[in-house]
């Protein structure tokens, strides 16, 4: 009978992990459907990928975490449209990415977008004011993660 006592916590942990994973998929599906990505959804995706918030967090919690950071998003709204410059800046800050000369001297949205264009993370219009769709956000972040993964593999012994 004691064996059942050990199994109950295991099932509870497994169930909560599956629920968190399911929530993450629902948020990503909702983001992919957005014609104009919202800053709350983009913040969730980036901050959870950078492991700055848990995957079980909500977009509201991720956005609150974003506003608490000194990255220049404190006056933004959760439903604001995501512009390329803001998204590039968010990703560079979240993953502590180094930029080129101009981004180093003037870290901000404009030069973050230029850095993303130079690194070939963005296809088509590379204007910092370009509004991104949910698909754009996931595609760009995927390219960034791929790039970061390749660098880690090169460094690993």
């Amino acid at each position: 009978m004691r064996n059942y006592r050990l199994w109950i916590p295991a099932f509870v942990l497994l169930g909560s992990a599956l629920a968190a994973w399911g929530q993450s998929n629902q948020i990503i599906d909702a983001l992919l459907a957005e014609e104009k990505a919202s800053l709350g959804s983009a913040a969730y995706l980036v901050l959870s990928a950078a492991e700055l918030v848990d995957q079980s967090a909500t977009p509201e919690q991720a956005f609150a975490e974003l506003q608490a950071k000194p990255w220049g998003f404190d006056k933004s709204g959760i439903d604001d449209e995501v512009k390329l410059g803001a998204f590039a800046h968010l990703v560079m800050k979240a993953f502590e990415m180094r930029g080129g000369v101009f981004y180093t001297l003037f870290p901000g949205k404009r030069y973050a977008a230029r850095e993303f264009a130079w690194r070939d993370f963005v296809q088509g219009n590379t204007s910092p004011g370009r509004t991104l769709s949910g698909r754009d956000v996931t595609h760009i972040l995927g390219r960034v993660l791929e790039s970061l993964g390749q660098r880690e593999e090169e460094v690993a012994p």
Side-chain angles (χ1 to χ4, degrees):
M1 201 64 175
R2 286 187 177 166
N3 289 340
Y4 291 111
R5 290 182 185 170
L6 296 175
W7 285 99
I8 292 172
F11 283 123
V12 170
L13 287 174
L14 179 64
S16 62
L18 289 173
W21 183 67
Q23 175 183 338
S24 174
N25 283 343
Q26 289 174 344
I27 295 169
I28 292 170
D29 288 344
L31 176 63
L32 286 170
E34 291 179 356
E35 191 171 315
K36 294 182 180 179
S38 68
L39 189 54
S41 298
Y44 168 80
L45 188 66
V46 172
L47 295 181
S48 64
E51 298 179 351
L52 297 175
V53 297
D54 193 66
Q55 287 187 355
S56 64
T58 64
E60 291 78 15
Q61 292 168 327
F63 185 73
E65 181 68 25
L66 173 63
Q67 287 195 309
K69 298 202 176 290
W71 296 346
F73 291 93
D74 52 329
K75 295 180 182 171
S76 301
I78 193 167
D79 294 323
D80 288 356
E81 295 175 356
V82 178
K83 307 287 186 188
L84 175 59
F87 183 69
H89 185 62
L90 167 61
V91 171
M92 290 190 76
K93 289 292 188 179
F95 288 98
E96 299 177 353
M97 295 171 65
R98 294 179 57 195
V101 173
F102 284 104
Y103 184 78
T104 302
L105 293 174
F106 310 105
K109 299 171 183 176
R110 176 185 175 99
Y111 292 111
R114 288 187 176 193
E115 187 71 24
F116 269 38
W118 183 80
R119 293 184 185 199
D120 204 28
F121 294 151
V122 181
Q123 302 298 314
N125 181 0
T126 59
S127 167
R130 171 185 165 193
T131 301
L132 299 178
S133 69
R135 290 195 181 277
D136 292 333
V137 166
T138 56
H139 180 76
I140 293 168
L141 183 59
R143 292 181 75 122
V144 170
L145 293 174
E146 182 180 335
S147 169
L148 292 174
Q150 288 174 350
R151 284 193 201 142
E152 288 177 8
E153 290 172 7
E154 291 172 3
V155 174

